[in-house]
């Protein structure tokens, strides 16, 4: 045991001796997390060691966390909620599951386009890492210049070649919400219709399945989040690395608005009892130290301004230099229902 650990334990013991209920509550933070990476443990441990705030964690997937928050209502012990994807953040927010918070530190650290629209009460959610939604293609069947933009996924040149997971999946909903924001409703819906008419098969599977389907020749072009490609690149299995040798990655729209990025992010729970601790934890998440672990735990990019993280797999696919879209992710909340209606009309499953 190091001296630092020892003093921590003595401190905790002394505190326990003195503790009133109120004081005990002051030193606790309850986190509901949809992230499950080994590296997150370092973040939690370091936060507890430096602040004395003990963390209790509930791990579930995004849907499970939202369902639990809804079922628990005002009795929920949750203080911080960690979810993945702006569409999921927006949905949980619209269900009244978050409590607005203010933090000058977070305002300074996290770019405004990666947070909810601020109101007089603050913001309801903020991003802590980003992932790009990129195009993966088969260089034997498709030319790089024919997949340089998202718009080209609707070009008849790609007839019978395009594969995606469900259009209603949050990753696609978020992307489509920003495409519709850029193109306008009419052109946006026409684009979705064009993508559907180019499909090699009905949407199915996850992002990794799309990459593998391009490698196997079933599809010529697909969409994936960068961390799925990075996972295959870093995989211990030779067959995974062979998949990545067979395909190419494009960061779309480099000549125009930039590649769509999404977030993994955090919020203060609506019925949080330890609000100050929750905000303190989220401020800690935006620090360069935590950003490194948070981003690299899932091969993502740090969200905080000026923080760079070394990740060989992301670098290998051009992830250190690409131009990211800067449309506020708050438009996902604004456009999500509209986009879902468009998907229904154009038959995008
Ligand atoms: Fe994912």
């Amino acid at each position: 045991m190091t001296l630092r650990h020892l003093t921590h334990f003595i401190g905790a013991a002394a505190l326990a001796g003195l503790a009133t209920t109120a004081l005990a509550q002051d030193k606790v933070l309850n986190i509901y997390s949809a992230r499950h990476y080994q590296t997150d443990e370092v973040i939690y441990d370091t936060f507890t060691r430096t602040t004395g705030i003990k963390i209790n964690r509930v791990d579930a997937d995004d849907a499970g966390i939202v369902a639990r928050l809804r079922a628990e209502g005002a009795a929920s012990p949750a203080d911080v909620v960690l979810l993945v994807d702006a569409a999921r953040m927006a949905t949980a927010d619209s269900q009244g599951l978050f409590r607005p918070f203010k933090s000058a530190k977070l305002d300074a650290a996290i770019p405004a386009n990666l947070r909810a629209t601020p109101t007089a009460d603050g913001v309801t959610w903020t991003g802590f890492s980003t992932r790009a939604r990129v195009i993966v293609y088969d260089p034997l069947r498709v030319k790089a210049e024919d997949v340089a933009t998202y718009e080209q996924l609707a070009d008849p040149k790609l007839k019978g070649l395009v594969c995606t997971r469900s259009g209603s999946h949050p990753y696609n909903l978020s992307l489509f919400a920003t495409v519709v924001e850029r193109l306008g409703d009419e052109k946006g819906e026409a684009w979705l219709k064009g993508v559907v008419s180019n499909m090699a098969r009905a949407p199915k599977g996850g992002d990794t399945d799309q990459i593998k389907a391009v490698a196997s020749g079933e599809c010529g072009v697909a969409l994936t989040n960068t961390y799925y490609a990075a996972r295959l690149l870093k995989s211990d299995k030779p067959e995974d690395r062979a998949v990545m040798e067979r395909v190419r990655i494009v960061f779309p729209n480099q000549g125009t608005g930039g590649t769509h990025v999404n977030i993994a992010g955090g919020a203060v729970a609506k019925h949080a009892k330890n609000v100050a601790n929750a905000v303190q934890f989220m401020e800690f998440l935006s620090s360069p130290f935590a950003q490194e672990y948070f981003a690299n735990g899932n091969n993502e990019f740090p969200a905080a301004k000026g923080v760079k993280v070394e990740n060989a797999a992301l670098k290998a696919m051009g992830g250190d230099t690409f131009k990211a879209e800067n449309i506020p992710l708050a438009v996902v909340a604004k456009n999500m229902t509209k986009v879902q209606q468009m998907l229904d009309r154009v038959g995008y499953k």
Side-chain angles (χ1 to χ4, degrees):
M1 184 180 281
T2 63
L3 185 60
R4 191 165 174 182
H5 280 102
L6 192 61
T7 49
H8 171 67
F9 277 108
I10 292 168
L15 197 63
L18 293 170
T20 62
T21 310
L23 186 55
Q25 277 178 6
D26 282 344
K27 287 292 180 186
V28 168
L29 178 67
N30 297 311
I31 298 177
Y32 282 20
S33 175
R35 285 175 49 96
H36 324 285
Y37 305 110
Q38 207 84 72
T39 48
D40 289 0
E41 299 299 328
V42 176
I43 297 174
Y44 299 134
D45 291 350
T46 307
F47 179 75
T48 296
R49 210 167 56 231
T50 54
T51 63
I53 297 169
K54 184 177 173 289
I55 290 177
N56 300 312
R57 224 165 71 233
V58 169
D59 290 316
D61 62 12
D62 296 88
I65 283 172
V66 167
R68 185 162 174 158
L69 287 170
R70 291 181 60 135
E72 289 172 344
S76 177
D79 297 311
V80 165
V81 183
L82 299 178
L83 294 179
V84 167
D85 195 279
R88 291 197 181 106
M89 282 291 185
T91 303
D93 194 10
S94 72
Q95 293 171 355
L97 299 177
F98 299 155
R99 170 197 166 111
F101 62 90
K102 283 182 181 169
S103 163
K105 256 190 199 167
L106 284 170
D107 288 353
I110 307 292
N113 64 307
L114 303 180
R115 292 182 284 144
T117 307
T119 67
D121 297 324
V123 294
T124 42
W125 53 264
T126 176
F128 288 116
S129 61
T130 65
R131 60 278 297 283
R133 196 133 182 86
V134 294
I135 291 175
V136 51
Y137 71 97
D138 178 352
L140 301 180
R141 300 171 76 188
V142 176
K143 291 191 208 120
E145 62 259 36
D146 291 336
V147 287
T149 67
Y150 297 114
E151 284 83 341
Q152 285 172 291
L153 295 177
D155 189 312
K157 267 189 188 170
L158 298 180
K159 192 127 208 129
L161 290 170
V162 177
C163 289
T164 73
R165 73 193 305 162
S166 167
S168 304
H169 188 275
Y171 301 165
N172 282 336
L173 273 185
S174 294
L175 166 65
F176 300 163
T178 61
V179 171
V180 166
E181 185 70 16
R182 286 192 293 106
L183 301 182
D185 291 2
E186 206 175 311
K187 283 185 180 165
E189 183 162 341
W191 176 75
L192 287 169
K193 197 174 178 182
V195 174
V196 170
S197 62
N198 278 346
M199 281 182 182
R201 64 176 187 197
K204 66 171 181 179
D207 284 5
T208 304
D209 299 311
Q210 314 308 316
I211 304 174
K212 288 181 174 174
V214 172
S216 75
E218 187 182 3
C219 311
V221 190
L223 287 166
T224 180
N225 284 350
T226 33
Y227 56 86
Y228 292 110
R231 269 182 213 166
L232 291 174
L233 271 173
K234 285 182 163 179
S235 173
D236 294 335
K237 296 182 191 154
E239 60 267 34
D240 287 344
R241 298 195 303 273
V243 162
M244 291 307 294
E245 276 170 30
R246 182 69 183 75
V247 305
R248 299 286 178 275
I249 300 280
V250 173
F251 284 76
N253 296 52
Q254 290 303 286
T256 51
T259 299
H260 173 69
V261 296
N262 209 317
I263 52 148
V268 179
K270 170 76 175 176
H271 302 289
K273 315 292 184 293
N274 304 293
V275 174
N277 295 353
V279 173
Q280 192 181 349
F281 177 75
M282 294 206 292
E283 288 172 345
F284 177 72
L285 280 187
S286 74
S287 68
F289 171 84
Q291 282 283 291
E292 165 144 14
Y293 285 99
F294 199 89
N296 265 341
N298 186 31
N299 296 297
E300 290 178 80
F301 307 103
K305 292 175 197 166
V307 179
K308 288 262 183 284
V309 168
E310 271 303 311
N311 184 309
L314 291 176
K315 199 171 177 177
M317 66 179 91
D320 55 337
T321 53
F322 78 99
K323 174 182 170 185
E325 181 177 81
N326 62 8
I327 294 176
L329 281 175
V331 307
V332 171
K334 179 172 74 99
N335 291 347
M336 212 165 41
T337 306
K338 184 167 73 182
V339 167
Q340 185 56 61
Q341 289 164 350
M342 289 179 182
L343 293 172
D344 294 342
R345 280 197 295 269
V346 304
Y348 199 143
K349 300 272 189 279

